[in-house]
Amino acid sequence: MLEKFRDRELSLAVAEKIKRCMPERKVKFCHVCGTHEWTITHYGLRSLLPKNLEVIAGPGCPVCIVPSSEIDAAIELALEGVVITTFGDVINVPGSELSLRQARSMGGDVREVYSVRDAVEMAKKEPDKEFVFFAIGFETTAPSTAIEVLRSEAKNLRFLISHRLIPPAMELLLGLGELEIDGFIAPGHVSSIIGLKPYKIFPEAYRMPTVIAGFEPLDVLFSIYMLLRQVRNGEAKLENEYTRSVTWDGNVKAQKLISRVFDVVSGRWRGLGVIPKSTLSLKKEYEHLDARKFYKIKIGKSRDIYPGCCCHLIMVGKLKPTDCPLFMEDCTPQTPKGPCMVSIEGTCGIWARHGVRLYR
Amino acid sequence: MFVMCLAVPAEVKEVRGHIARVDFGGGLIGEVDVTLVEAKVGDYVLVHAGYAIQVLDKEEALETLKLWKELLEAEQEL
Ligand code: SF4
């Protein structure tokens, strides 16, 4: 069935619809998901869109927004002899000085895992070592961390929680005002967990058209068309393109697990500053599993932005990678200068790996 | 390649407690944790980082495809 969601002919037909629905003025839509950026770039969807329709990438790369202070904390633990387990790309992201990969070459035991479950199994197999799972990711990943916190099968495994929530970051973008976004393409997988409900405020309080979209090229094109129809009709509604996975209530079981294990607190996003009620933190009753408390981690001064890198502006859609003078000059996937290039979900990284040089 | 916010569909082949054996297609069989969903054999689940996060609605998938077709056929709609 999947091929049907990638059908070239249908894609061209939707692109044609989009052209006919397009007003004369400039229109700008914003997505907030690394996977959406990947689909858009990989399938060359921007080339199908009218010149005055722009689709920009917001802060949707879960690896890019982890503040360096938290990476620094993981590095410190690794260098003290704690085994750090975390998801792939994170180990390449520079903290204030070093990356976890560099910490590994200095003797730290840093391991990539595909799932929090792998961390649990490793910790069980090596009971005389101390393990920490560095838990990053949005609402899609938080439920699995919650499950393993509750199961607590390995007594030598603690959690460095760095989970962030998407809707507050979308609100931050609207607060920036000058971005002049005409609509949101909301992320389908995060929404599979949280449902449609939390997005209600965007049309209601901000009059911002919002469409939840899946990840196949046709999903994205159709969601753009749905947004454009709203723009043309002067409406602001919440619509769901990804009905095969997203419901109004979302995955209630997963939400219950999240709220049972975590409190929602304010937290720093790399390059974006502190966003209110955007970060998960372990509840008091799970304090014994909280690496921050157990190791008395102090978050000190840190450096989020490297000289010359404009990741922080790319993450809010103010600049495109090709606007950065370092893009593909000093900064490449082999010699990344910022988190947006390191991660395969970062906008710079996606564009670089697809050979995008000049945009339009 | 591991992408954080990506989830991939897989067909449930067998369920044992909270673990299911799933088929990702192309001969790729794996085990995933199904604690977060009510998955039966034959269901398609969305798998993210080793955990099924949602059961995909086959009817809705077909409905979406139908809707797209209709939308495109309705020429005068614009
Ligand atoms: S191209 Fe490199 S230096 Fe420029 S914004 Fe992207 S990550 Fe930063």
Side-chain angles (χ1 to χ4, degrees), chain A residues 140-213:
Chain A
T140 9
T141 329
S144 57
T145 308
I147 290 177
E148 298 305 338
V149 166
L150 286 173
R151 283 187 189 144
S152 183
E153 284 173 26
K155 299 294 166 228
N156 54 334
L157 173 69
R158 292 174 189 88
F159 297 82
L160 179 56
I161 302 294
S162 183
H163 290 304
R164 298 286 188 278
L165 307 174
I166 280 286
M170 290 168 68
E171 266 196 278
L172 173 96
L173 288 183
L174 294 177
L176 294 176
E178 75 259 44
L179 274 184
E180 291 174 359
I181 303 169
D182 297 290
F184 273 132
I185 302 170
H189 292 147
V190 163
S191 310
S192 300
I193 300 287
I194 66 177
L196 287 166
K197 231 192 286 179
Y199 299 99
K200 236 173 39 168
I201 51 158
F202 297 113
E204 284 177 6
Y206 295 97
R207 280 206 55 77
M208 185 56 61
T210 303
V211 174
I212 318 286

Side-chain angles (χ1 to χ4, degrees), chain A residues 44-55:
Chain A
L45 300 186
R46 286 195 179 92
S47 68
L48 298 176
L49 302 177
K51 285 257 180 292
N52 51 338
L53 173 57
E54 201 182 347
V55 179

Side-chain angles (χ1 to χ4, degrees), chain A residues 196 210-213 226-227 229-230 237-241:
Chain A
L196 287 166
T210 303
V211 174
I212 318 286
M226 289 162 87
L227 282 173
R229 263 195 319 193
Q230 293 193 33
K237 292 190 293 192
L238 176 58
E239 291 184 287
N240 184 11
E241 185 280 330

Side-chain angles (χ1 to χ4, degrees), chain A residues 62-73 93-96 134 162 164 267-271 273 279 292 299 302-304:
Chain A
V63 175
C64 306
I65 54 97
V66 177
S68 19
S69 53
E70 290 175 13
I71 295 174
D72 295 347
V93 177
S96 295
F134 186 15
S162 183
R164 298 286 188 278
R268 179 173 292 283
W269 292 49
R270 189 170 194 157
T279 301
R292 284 172 213 263
I299 301 282
S302 63
R303 175 167 72 163
D304 274 348

Side-chain angles (χ1 to χ4, degrees), chain A residues 306-312 314 320-322 324-328 330-332 335-342 347-349:
Chain A
Y306 282 79
C309 170
C310 31
C311 266
H312 53 300
I314 290 185
K320 301 187 241 321
T322 42
C324 171
L326 301 183
F327 181 70
M328 295 319 278
D330 288 349
C331 182
T332 67
T335 57
K337 293 274 178 285
C340 312
M341 182 60 90
V342 174
T347 309
C348 298

